[in-house]
Amino acid sequence: MQLDRYVHTLGRHLRQRFGEHVHKLPLAAGFTCPNRDGTIGTGGCSFCNVASFSKPSTETLESQLEAGRATITRARRYLAYFQAYTNTYAEVERLRRLYETALSGCGVVGLCVGTRPDCVPDAVLDLLAEYRANGAEIWLELGLQSAFDVTLARANRGHGFDAFVTATGRARQRDIPVCAHLIVGLPGETPEMSLISLERVLANDVQGIKLHPLMIVRGSRLAAEYRRGEVSPPSHEDYVAVASEMIRRTPGEVVFHRIAASARAPTLVAPDWCAHSQRSMNAIAHELARHGGQGSRTQQPYLPR
């Protein structure tokens, strides 16, 4: 079932802007995280093992871009996706060199920059705003995960919801689109809390949402808690139900960068249904087809063009 009949996907947004398919190319630029190097904490977030979504690389950005393009047959244009760890956590001149190296790559039309809400100083926002003013597609992806401070503390995030509010406000002052990451099924959270997190995030003028189910991955603190029987990830049915309701409550102009996620074996510990994100995407599409698509519970429904 075609997802973008019911969801304003990033793919559709980019096709409307550029008139053709645009593919994201993930990059590992050698960053670390203040929640790992001792600046804020050590060990990282409880759910985090970056190997679950990004392979460490000693290759140059140019080589990574070239290798990524070689595997893609459906696109001639690309977004350079700075994905692994905290991709604004460096001096601004180093960031400028990295970002501009990526933007100079063949067919690259913009950047997606993944980071923490407490790691976006004004100088970095000014730099991203400069690229956007010059015509590049720019997305600041803020890894929030939950709008509840008690959940963020339990996950060892090292910041509260106020950091997201502040970072988003400063980005929007510069007309930089913000994509907020939210995890469904974090320890201690109910489905109602996921809906409230969405509501709080939308109230802060975000342009994008990325949804993830909670995944237990090897090397994370949650993996140890899972082995002790202290936490359990959501069932596939529960995730589909909650994610679908979140989508229905999201106004149609907001872009969904992702509605499901997967981890590669042998990194994934649980749930096993997260090994293949397409199953969840199909199930959500069917749910939306039956009960209403994006924005159907708002006054701004998604109207595919």
Side-chain angles (χ1 to χ4, degrees):
M1 183 172 289
Q2 190 173 352
L3 181 66
D4 59 13
R5 292 178 58 188
Y6 310 102
V7 180
H8 188 181
T9 63
L10 179 64
R12 178 175 282 273
H13 163 78
L14 293 171
R15 286 196 301 274
Q16 288 174 344
R17 175 171 180 190
F18 294 101
E20 60 182 297
H21 183 71
V22 179
H23 192 88
K24 288 177 76 171
L25 296 178
L27 301 173
F31 290 101
T32 182
C33 173
N35 203 17
R36 286 179 173 269
D37 68 5
T39 303
I40 293 173
T42 57
C45 304
S46 65
F47 51 80
C48 183
N49 177 352
V50 77
S52 66
F53 58 82
S54 178
K55 194 171 8 177
S57 177
T58 57
E59 297 180 353
T60 65
L61 291 183
E62 294 93 337
S63 297
Q64 293 179 59
L65 287 168
E66 182 178 353
R69 286 193 297 265
T71 65
I72 305 302
T73 59
R74 296 175 51 235
R76 297 175 300 173
R77 295 188 178 187
Y78 313 94
L79 291 182
Y81 180 22
F82 286 84
Q83 180 185 29
Y85 293 115
T86 304
N87 292 275
T88 57
Y89 189 44
E91 294 295 327
V92 70
E93 287 310 313
R94 181 188 174 209
L95 296 176
R96 181 184 291 274
R97 290 192 297 272
L98 291 169
Y99 297 163
E100 293 183 0
T101 294
L103 284 168
S104 66
C106 180
V108 174
V109 296
L111 304 175
C112 293
V113 179
T115 189
R116 294 167 54 91
D118 55 351
C119 283
V120 281
D122 286 342
V124 176
L125 293 175
D126 290 341
L127 181 61
L128 295 177
E130 176 186 324
Y131 299 144
R132 178 167 164 79
N134 289 332
E137 177 83 8
I138 299 295
W139 284 93
L140 179 67
E141 298 198 21
L142 296 180
L144 173 62
Q145 321 311 348
S146 171
F148 288 87
D149 285 350
V150 64
T151 302
L152 297 176
R154 180 170 180 174
N156 196 43
R157 283 292 296 172
H159 67 77
F161 182 59
D162 282 350
F164 173 82
V165 174
T166 300
T168 300
R170 290 188 294 110
R172 296 303 300 136
Q173 287 172 359
R174 295 164 171 82
D175 198 33
I176 299 170
V178 173
C179 174
H181 294 205
L182 293 171
I183 294 178
V184 173
L186 283 165
E189 290 215 338
T190 63
E192 290 74 20
M193 292 172 74
S194 290
L195 298 177
I196 293 170
S197 283
L198 174 72
E199 179 182 342
R200 293 176 177 174
V201 162
L202 291 174
N204 281 277
D205 188 28
V206 301
Q207 290 64 54
I209 298 286
K210 182 177 282 189
L211 297 181
H212 307 257
L214 178 68
M215 294 186 293
I216 312 295
V217 295
R218 282 184 171 82
S220 68
R221 296 185 183 187
L222 277 186
E225 295 179 23
Y226 177 76
R227 287 192 294 270
R228 296 193 298 266
E230 297 171 1
V231 298
S232 59
S235 69
H236 183 252
E237 293 74 18
D238 287 346
Y239 178 72
V240 169
V242 175
S244 297
E245 185 59 22
M246 294 173 78
I247 292 168
R248 282 190 286 267
R249 296 188 184 202
T250 302
E253 72 272 12
V254 176
V255 178
F256 275 90
H257 289 227
R258 182 180 293 167
I259 63 168
S262 62
R264 299 183 296 266
T267 303
L268 181 66
V269 174
D272 56 5
W273 56 266
C274 280
H276 304 286
S277 61
Q278 191 63 49
R279 176 189 173 194
S280 299
M281 294 168 63
N282 290 340
I284 290 170
H286 281 284
E287 176 74 8
L288 297 174
R290 287 194 298 268
H291 301 294
Q294 180 176 340
S296 57
R297 298 211 192 282
T298 75
Q299 295 181 345
Q300 298 168 280
Y302 168 59
L303 300 173
R305 290 175 288 173

